[in-house]
Amino acid sequence: MVTIYDIAKACNCSSATVSKVFNHTGNISENKRREVLAAAQKMGYVPNVTARNLVKRRSNMVGVLLFVDESLGLRHELFAETLNNFRTVMEKSGYEIVLISEKGSQWQGRFLDHCRALRLDGVFCLCCDYDSAAVHELFESDIPVVGFESPFLQKPSIESKNFEASKRLTEYLIENGHREIVYLAGSDRAITTDRINGYRAALAEHGIPFREERFCRVGYYSNDHGKNAARALLACPLPYTAVMFPDDFTAIAAYRELAKAGIRVGEDISVTGFDGVSIGGMVLPRLATMQQDAVRIGKGAAQLLIGGIEGGSVPACRVQLDAKLLAGDSVKKI
Amino acid sequence: MVTIYDIAKACNCSSATVSKVFNHTGNISENKRREVLAAAQKMGYVPNVTARNLVKRRSNMVGVLLFVDESLGLRHELFAETLNNFRTVMEKSGYEIVLISEKGSQWQGRFLDHCRALRLDGVFCLCCDYDSAAVHELFESDIPVVGFESPFLQKPSIESKNFEASKRLTEYLIENGHREIVYLAGSDRAITTDRINGYRAALAEHGIPFREERFCRVGYYSNDHGKNAARALLACPLPYTAVMFPDDFTAIAAYRELAKAGIRVGEDISVTGFDGVSIGGMVLPRLATMQQDAVRIGKGAAQLLIGGIEGGSVPACRVQLDAKLLAGDSVKKI
DNA sequence: CTGAAAGCGCTAACAG
DNA sequence: CTGTTAGCGCTTTCAG
């Protein structure tokens, strides 16, 4: 590996001079600059980022906390797409992306130590367990962190306007004549509560009483292929004309469970999802849902993180992004 | 940040001693060991990986070449799942995962320089453009690389047995009475050719002539929601009872296009996909497909890479993994 | 405009 | 069993 010393020697100058031309720092004569650059090129010089990081005391790397989950994590288009957009912005700003897991590594889930050891400049918590002590510790630390759907107030967070989105989706059903709407809720988290409240707010505004019997907690996308959700739905003791599923996958998976029970989605019953994954637009009937804006979530998270890293201490904030109603023929006008 | 010097001072010993206890190297008395560990714990010491890497001349990091693609990359379950499994094995072996993109970074697609600058120990090419000169340069280099579906012979590669898988899937149709089978091919790549050849081999073995009119190149999963594939299919001049789509997404997307044309999948026509993404098991009718083994692809890639890094020069090899037939009622017995 | 020198934090002989 | 010493490759004052 050729070092700045090698190229200094070749140019009859000191390593300091070489360093300066690569860092565009100090005053270097145009001649020397060109000479150094030419030599570097010819000798195939590649800077040693490790050495640079050591002296600069930073890594130009950010971590993405991303649990390897059976049914979530990267497998979910929302996270994958968010990560893509996050990456794009971070890389443009000169950061490397390293993936941090919950376990398996030598750090055994001690995220904070892991991040410190790597001298990460910041961390984006994209998909993790916010109940975990290790994650909490990370949010309490002094390193820049931004969380997706984070419940912590110490650090900036980003998420969809879940209350509004859920309210809008409920209204969409009501506009289509539905008043007996079953709500199948995701697992117990802040965003789920927001969504439930959105549903209830929409009902209330339209003078529709909330009925406990039409509410059931089934959890988010799981590998049971919607069986659980469909079962909960079919067990509903009250009549209903529409169902709101916790997410698109569960809704789509329930299509077939419902079909088995002789119920035609978009005909006998109206159905909505949540997230706006692309498959929702491919199935029959097209799924009505609220699309989360993965582009703005990813880019926004990157901007918040860069702000935290480069702008010193940024006040913790909660960024909430609009979701978009995707109409679909899974909802029938009655 | 507390360093080994700080803890050496606290323990009345040299930094070398401290270093040794953390590296389990040299002979350290049990007493000293405990004392050092206790002090480190108390002082909140976290090793500086950057410094360690500098002297060790390696990074304990591997890159994953993963293009940010509109319709591919992480958005595809196969890649996401492969990455998950790759990660798991690599992390267990003490490696960090760094995501490398095609552009956007300061390296502007000069992968090799990027990897060298970071002193990456190895690279897994998961989703990239094998036609690109920069990727080619990477495969020509001296750094350990393993490629998924790579066409290069210099480095180990891993992929599904595409020929066999496609042949098996075709046979599945033939077993169900189909002889007029349209083949919609993916974009022109080695694996696509393997799959086409598998289709032709199955036909040949059953005495079914290959008809150019029943073959069409439509490309892999694109954002046109299967319209293109459906159009190609409907334009087929010869009668047909079954269609093999290049991938699951295209097949599922075509469901609705076909429905619009009044054609019922699994009734009027039989359909197959390729990949075995989970959504295929959720739609109606359940999609018949060949499932690629993302678990073994990911883990296998990790093992090959670790072998290349730790075992010195490993002979380039081409690992091919079995795919699994997933029967589905998108195929009707006739 | 250029260079000498002092590290960044850690490891690895080599002595003792 | 422990310490001394010399770097890893680069940046950064501070002189010249």
Side-chain angles (χ1 to χ4, degrees):
Chain A
M1 284 282 76
V2 15
T3 72
I4 51 172
Y5 284 97
D6 299 322
I7 107 148
K9 203 169 297 169
C11 296
N12 296 309
C13 65
S14 75
S15 65
T17 303
V18 177
S19 172
K20 280 168 192 155
V21 351
F22 284 114
N23 290 284
H24 313 97
T25 169
N27 278 337
I28 304 293
S29 68
E30 189 52 26
N31 276 346
K32 211 63 200 160
R33 214 184 71 84
R34 264 201 254 280
E35 186 185 353
V36 164
L37 254 18
Q41 172 85 43
K42 181 156 52 70
M43 303 169 75
Y45 170 73
V46 177
N48 185 327
V49 169
T50 308
R52 189 207 308 262
N53 288 346
L54 179 58
V55 43
K56 288 273 199 76
R57 282 110 163 282
R58 57 178 306 203
S59 63
N60 281 301
M61 300 193 300
V62 297
V64 173
L65 197 47
L66 189 59
F67 283 14
V68 176
D69 193 291
E70 286 278 309
S71 57
L72 224 66
L74 282 185
R75 297 187 55 159
H76 198 299
E77 194 176 306
L78 175 62
F79 292 101
E81 200 49 19
T82 298
L83 179 54
N84 276 344
N85 285 284
F86 176 79
R87 272 176 84 186
T88 304
V89 175
M90 292 312 288
E91 286 171 351
K92 202 164 291 177
S93 300
Y95 292 92
E96 306 286 340
I97 308 289
V98 355
L99 263 25
I100 307 283
S101 286
E102 71 269 46
K103 52 178 180 279
S105 83
Q106 51 184 318
W107 298 102
Q108 294 295 343
R110 308 234 45 241
F111 307 125
L112 185 53
D113 285 352
H114 191 168
C115 297
R116 283 205 202 290
L118 255 32
R119 295 298 186 273
L120 296 185
D121 295 339
V123 181
F124 177 31
C125 292
L126 176 54
C127 175
C128 64
D129 174 12
Y130 285 118
D131 292 335
S132 119
V135 172
H136 191 242
E137 181 189 37
L138 186 59
F139 275 80
E140 299 272 51
S141 79
D142 55 344
I143 104 170
V145 173
V146 6
F148 175 55
E149 298 180 344
S150 139
F152 301 117
L153 304 168
Q154 304 94 316
K155 309 278 185 188
S157 74
I158 193 161
E159 64 191 25
S160 292
K161 287 180 181 165
N162 286 291
F163 174 87
E164 289 81 355
S166 183
K167 180 157 177 274
R168 180 72 196 91
L169 193 56
T170 310
E171 284 165 354
Y172 175 66
L173 285 170
I174 295 172
E175 287 162 10
N176 278 281
H178 299 274
R179 297 181 66 83
E180 296 169 338
I181 305 170
V182 171
Y183 192 93
L184 266 20
S187 41
D188 189 14
R189 292 194 272 140
I191 58 150
T192 309
T193 305
D194 289 345
R195 293 181 194 174
I196 295 169
N197 288 339
Y199 160 74
R200 297 186 64 150
L203 293 188
E205 281 188 15
H206 290 266
I208 304 172
F210 169 81
R211 296 292 302 264
E212 202 62 68
E213 296 91 336
R214 290 206 181 91
F215 175 89
C216 185
R217 181 146 252 144
V218 299
Y220 291 107
Y221 175 55
S222 61
N223 278 332
D224 76 350
H225 287 196
K227 288 196 180 68
N228 190 25
R231 195 173 308 126
L233 178 62
L234 297 173
C236 181
L238 257 32
Y240 54 90
T241 63
V243 202
M244 300 179 73
F245 282 89
D247 62 284
D248 291 346
F249 283 112
T250 305
I252 292 169
Y255 275 26
R256 72 175 295 119
E257 297 304 315
L258 262 18
K260 282 186 196 165
I263 300 173
R264 293 163 301 168
V265 171
E267 288 295 327
D268 308 320
I269 199 185
S270 287
V271 160
T272 62
F274 204 99
D275 284 345
V277 299
S278 58
I279 195 75
M282 301 182 190
V283 294
L284 221 54
R286 191 187 296 269
L287 181 65
T289 189
M290 292 301 302
Q291 183 175 43
Q292 298 204 59
D293 193 341
V295 174
R296 289 179 61 204
I297 293 172
K299 297 198 168 170
Q303 277 147 9
L304 286 172
L305 193 55
I306 292 173
I309 294 169
E310 296 171 5
S313 63
V314 165
C317 56
R318 173 167 303 276
V319 176
Q320 298 198 328
L321 268 22
D322 284 324
K324 180 178 160 196
L325 175 67
L326 259 32
D329 21 57
S330 65
V331 169
K332 189 189 178 191
K333 198 164 191 84
I334 59 174
Chain B
M1 285 279 78
V2 16
T3 73
I4 52 172
Y5 285 96
D6 299 323
I7 107 148
K9 203 169 296 170
C11 295
N12 295 309
C13 65
S14 76
S15 64
T17 302
V18 178
S19 172
K20 280 169 193 154
V21 351
F22 283 114
N23 290 284
H24 313 99
T25 169
N27 279 336
I28 304 293
S29 70
E30 187 54 25
N31 277 346
K32 209 67 203 160
R33 215 184 69 84
R34 263 203 256 280
E35 186 185 352
V36 165
L37 254 20
Q41 171 86 44
K42 181 156 52 70
M43 302 169 74
Y45 170 73
V46 177
N48 184 327
V49 168
T50 307
R52 191 208 305 265
N53 288 345
L54 180 58
V55 45
K56 289 273 199 76
R57 282 113 162 281
R58 56 179 305 204
S59 64
N60 281 298
M61 301 193 300
V62 297
V64 173
L65 196 47
L66 190 58
F67 283 13
V68 175
D69 193 291
E70 286 278 310
S71 58
L72 222 68
L74 282 183
R75 297 188 55 159
H76 197 298
E77 194 176 308
L78 175 62
F79 292 101
E81 200 51 16
T82 298
L83 179 55
N84 276 345
N85 286 283
F86 175 80
R87 272 176 83 184
T88 304
V89 175
M90 293 312 289
E91 286 172 351
K92 204 165 289 173
S93 299
Y95 293 93
E96 306 288 340
I97 310 288
V98 180
L99 263 25
I100 307 284
S101 287
E102 71 270 44
K103 51 177 183 274
S105 83
Q106 51 184 316
W107 298 101
Q108 295 293 345
R110 308 235 45 240
F111 307 125
L112 185 53
D113 286 351
H114 191 168
C115 296
R116 285 206 202 290
L118 255 32
R119 293 299 185 272
L120 296 185
D121 295 339
V123 180
F124 176 29
C125 292
L126 176 53
C127 175
C128 64
D129 174 11
Y130 285 117
D131 292 332
S132 116
V135 171
H136 190 243
E137 180 189 38
L138 186 60
F139 275 80
E140 298 273 49
S141 78
D142 57 342
I143 103 170
V145 173
V146 5
F148 175 54
E149 299 180 344
S150 139
F152 301 117
L153 305 166
Q154 303 95 316
K155 310 278 183 187
S157 75
I158 194 161
E159 63 191 24
S160 293
K161 287 181 181 164
N162 286 291
F163 174 87
E164 290 81 355
S166 184
K167 180 158 178 273
R168 180 71 197 90
L169 194 55
T170 310
E171 284 164 356
Y172 175 66
L173 285 170
I174 296 172
E175 287 162 11
N176 277 281
H178 299 274
R179 297 181 65 84
E180 296 168 338
I181 305 171
V182 171
Y183 192 93
L184 266 21
S187 42
D188 189 14
R189 292 195 272 139
I191 59 150
T192 309
T193 305
D194 289 347
R195 292 181 193 173
I196 294 169
N197 289 337
Y199 160 72
R200 297 186 64 148
L203 292 188
E205 279 187 18
H206 291 266
I208 305 172
F210 169 80
R211 296 294 300 264
E212 202 61 68
E213 297 89 338
R214 291 206 182 91
F215 175 88
C216 185
R217 182 145 252 143
V218 299
Y220 290 108
Y221 175 55
S222 60
N223 278 332
D224 75 350
H225 287 197
K227 289 196 179 69
N228 191 25
R231 195 172 309 128
L233 178 62
L234 298 173
C236 181
L238 258 31
Y240 55 89
T241 63
V243 201
M244 300 179 71
F245 282 88
D247 63 285
D248 292 348
F249 282 112
T250 304
I252 293 169
Y255 275 26
R256 74 175 293 118
E257 297 304 316
L258 262 18
K260 281 186 195 164
I263 300 172
R264 293 163 303 167
V265 171
E267 288 294 330
D268 308 320
I269 200 186
S270 288
V271 159
T272 62
F274 204 100
D275 286 345
V277 299
S278 59
I279 195 75
M282 299 181 190
V283 294
L284 221 55
R286 190 187 297 269
L287 180 65
T289 190
M290 293 300 303
Q291 183 175 43
Q292 299 205 58
D293 193 340
V295 174
R296 290 179 61 207
I297 293 172
K299 296 199 167 162
Q303 278 148 8
L304 286 172
L305 194 55
I306 292 172
I309 295 169
E310 297 171 6
S313 63
V314 165
C317 56
R318 174 166 303 276
V319 175
Q320 301 203 102
L321 269 18
D322 283 323
K324 182 177 160 195
L325 176 67
L326 259 31
D329 21 58
S330 64
V331 169
K332 189 191 180 189
K333 199 169 191 79
I334 59 173

